[in-house]
Amino acid sequence: MLEQMYHQLGHDLKSLIGEDPKFPHRAALVSLISLLKENHPKISWVGVYLRNDDQSEELYIGPYQGKTACVLIPPGKGVCGAAFRQNKTLIVPDVEDFPGHIACDSLSRSEIVVPLYHRSRLIGVLDLDSHELNAFTTVDQMALESLLKRIEQLP
Ligand code: SME
């Protein structure tokens, strides 16, 4: 069922952004965030944290949907900082088991964070939170990585 949701979401994203190779990456990302929030049954918050300059690992809040979130992730901190530093997707089934988890929303129980690339540069992370424990699996990981890959080369 979740696979079907992601399949449909891929179609919806394609019909929104079309085949225009000049469609901006940022506009595609914002649309993806909205589609995820609207369609994923378990998401309480979804958005991106973006590096401000190539020399720093500080991550600043980017486009998102959900309750007002923390604006800055210090280098390597929280799930977002760890996923960015390790450059790999992290699935956290229970945020209380993740040392250093940053609680922007006290109701948040589980999380998945995916590295975000733009034209082969690591620019930040995509973060999905849920009020449910164990909300995210490798199904989400594979689908999210693939959706991000599809828009990565846009300008
Ligand atoms: N929980 C994240 C912080 C961002 S909020 O969830 C929106 C973390 O530990 O990095």
Side-chain angles (χ1 to χ4, degrees), residues 92-99 101:
V92 179
D94 182 346
V95 295
E96 288 186 9
D97 292 341
F98 190 95
H101 167 258

Side-chain angles (χ1 to χ4, degrees), residues 45 49 69 73 77-81 100-102 104 111 127 129:
W45 189 96
Y49 281 92
I73 308 283
K77 298 295 182 194
V79 187
C80 291
H101 167 258
I102 300 168
C104 299
E111 181 160 358
D127 180 15
D129 291 351

Side-chain angles (χ1 to χ4, degrees), residues 6-147:
Y6 276 118
H7 188 70
Q8 183 60 45
L9 197 152
H11 281 294
D12 293 347
L13 183 65
K14 193 171 174 186
S15 56
L16 270 176
I17 70 178
E19 305 285 347
D20 179 5
K22 294 200 296 296
F23 194 90
H25 179 253
R26 179 61 67 93
L29 194 55
V30 169
S31 304
L32 175 59
I33 288 167
S34 175
L35 285 169
L36 285 167
K37 183 70 168 71
E38 250 174 36
N39 293 293
H40 195 295
K42 297 191 174 173
I43 289 176
S44 56
W45 189 96
V46 50
V48 293
Y49 281 92
L50 301 170
R51 125 188 283 180
N52 207 33
D53 73 84
D54 284 345
Q55 309 310 316
S56 168
E57 284 188 323
E58 282 180 332
L59 299 173
Y60 287 88
I61 189 69
Y64 67 95
Q65 294 218 356
K67 281 175 67 177
T68 306
C70 316
V71 292
L72 172 64
I73 308 283
K77 298 295 182 194
V79 187
C80 291
F84 183 80
R85 182 169 278 178
Q86 293 167 37
N87 189 12
K88 72 169 193 196
T89 297
L90 295 180
I91 297 174
V92 179
D94 182 346
V95 295
E96 288 186 9
D97 292 341
F98 190 95
H101 167 258
I102 300 168
C104 299
D105 173 0
S106 60
L107 294 178
S108 185
R109 289 287 168 267
S110 62
E111 181 160 358
I112 181 171
V113 181
V114 185
L116 175 65
Y117 282 88
H118 183 217
R119 300 199 150 181
S120 307
R121 280 177 55 238
L122 180 63
I123 59 163
V125 293
L126 175 69
D127 180 15
L128 281 65
D129 291 351
S130 177
H131 289 166
E132 288 178 40
L133 284 171
N134 260 313
F136 305 107
T137 68
T138 50
V139 170
D140 296 284
Q141 173 174 357
M142 284 187 302
L144 294 167
E145 288 175 355
S146 143
L147 286 162

